[in-house]
């Protein structure tokens, strides 16, 4: 279709303002074609090689959360992005409560991206920090297969963030007193992790002493660094600087 338009444009020498319209239309067509091709590649891939449509599960609402206030999403709208292993761009949204990546195929149906290492990196156009799929132990020492945001990565060391939203259950009035409170989603403090050069993931250290316990042979270098830099182990920008320092050890 685009090549036909180019031919017509060349043959009839359309005026300058029409050239601009043509370029806009051509760009839109390229975008739609790319988006549609990515969708086709993804869904055809699962249908043909991943044991059918059941592998790409359609999202179904959970009854106990239907009336909850708030949102399970950090960003409530779908954003254009890319998935490792899939050509083209797709509409993506991260569900921080369920820790899943949701895909919008453009016809009001939402699907859950399987937690498969083949699709382990999800990049949103609006962000320079990708979501990556990891197997790790959380702050409760429980095994997790989930998504962490790579805040910074240098020399095999990375600062990773788990965005967190919890669901607070509804509260019924007791003994006829008080008022009913519906269930609600609530954003809570994010968890931070450190990926070391050996690829193992550990909770980000809470203080200098904990950091030195991770790098027992580098205690003096760590002391010198913090003598010259007043940094917090709770502020994200400072945690990025600490991670960049760790990458030099």
């Amino acid at each position: 279709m685009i090549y036909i338009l180019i031919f017509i444009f060349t043959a009839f020498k359309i005026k300058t303002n029409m050239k601009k319209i043509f370029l806009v239309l051509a760009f839109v067509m390229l975008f739609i074609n790319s988006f549609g091709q990515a969708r086709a590649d993804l869904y055809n891939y699962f249908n043909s090689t991943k044991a059918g449509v059941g592998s790409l599960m359609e999202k179904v609402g959970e009854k106990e959360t239907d009336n909850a206030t708030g949102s399970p999403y950090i960003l409530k709208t779908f954003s254009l992005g890319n998935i490792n292993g899939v050509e083209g761009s797709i509409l993506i949204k991260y569900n921080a409560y369920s820790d899943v990546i949701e895909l919008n195929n453009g016809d009001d149906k939402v699907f859950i991206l399987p937690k498969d290492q083949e699709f382990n990196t999800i990049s949103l156009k609006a962000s320079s920090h990708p979501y990556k799929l990891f197997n790790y132990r959380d702050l409760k020492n429980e095994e997790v297969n989930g998504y962490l945001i790579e805040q910074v990565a240098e020399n095999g060391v990375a600062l990773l963030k788990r965005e967190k939203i919890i669901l607070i259950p509804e509260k019924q009035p007791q003994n006829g007193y008080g008022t009913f409170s519906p269930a609600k989603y609530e954003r809570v403090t994010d968890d931070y992790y450190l990926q070391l050069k050996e690829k193992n993931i550990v909770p980000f250290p809470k203080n200098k002493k904990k950091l030195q316990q991770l790098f027992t042979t580098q205690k003096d270098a760590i002391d010198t660094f913090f003598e010259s830099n007043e940094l917090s182990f709770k502020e994200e920008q400072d945690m990025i600087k600490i991670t960049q320092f760790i990458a030099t050890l």
Side-chain angles (χ1 to χ4, degrees), residues 75 80-84 92-94 99 101 113 119-134 146-154 158-163 195 236 240:
L75 298 176
L80 202 60
N82 298 93
I83 300 173
N84 182 55
I92 298 169
K93 185 164 60 173
Y94 175 62
D99 192 19
I101 297 294
L113 181 69
F119 309 103
N120 65 359
T121 302
I122 297 90
S123 303
L124 301 181
K125 300 289 188 182
S127 173
S128 59
H129 304 300
Y131 288 91
K132 291 194 171 184
L133 181 65
F134 293 100
Y147 297 100
L148 301 172
I149 299 177
E150 188 177 76
Q151 294 298 109
V152 65
E154 293 185 7
L159 175 65
L160 307 171
K161 178 170 71 173
R162 165 68 163 99
E163 295 176 318
Q195 184 179 37
E236 185 175 288
I240 289 174

Side-chain angles (χ1 to χ4, degrees), residues 87-150:
E87 294 184 4
S89 299
I90 298 174
L91 290 173
I92 298 169
K93 185 164 60 173
Y94 175 62
N95 186 320
Y97 170 68
S98 301
D99 192 19
V100 296
I101 297 294
E102 299 182 6
L103 311 176
N104 186 335
N105 70 348
D107 60 0
D108 296 327
K109 288 185 178 181
V110 176
F111 294 87
I112 305 299
L113 181 69
K115 290 183 177 180
D116 188 323
Q117 282 299 317
E118 188 171 359
F119 309 103
N120 65 359
T121 302
I122 297 90
S123 303
L124 301 181
K125 300 289 188 182
S127 173
S128 59
H129 304 300
Y131 288 91
K132 291 194 171 184
L133 181 65
F134 293 100
N135 290 306
Y136 66 99
R137 287 189 174 273
D138 64 13
L139 301 187
K140 297 179 180 179
N141 202 35
E142 295 177 350
E143 290 188 7
V144 177
N145 181 36
Y147 297 100
L148 301 172
I149 299 177
E150 188 177 76

Side-chain angles (χ1 to χ4, degrees), residues 74 162-168 185-191:
I74 304 298
R162 165 68 163 99
E163 295 176 318
K164 294 190 69 177
I165 291 177
I166 63 172
L167 179 65
I168 299 176
Y185 292 104
E186 185 172 289
R187 178 75 187 271
V188 295
T189 303
D190 297 328
D191 293 336

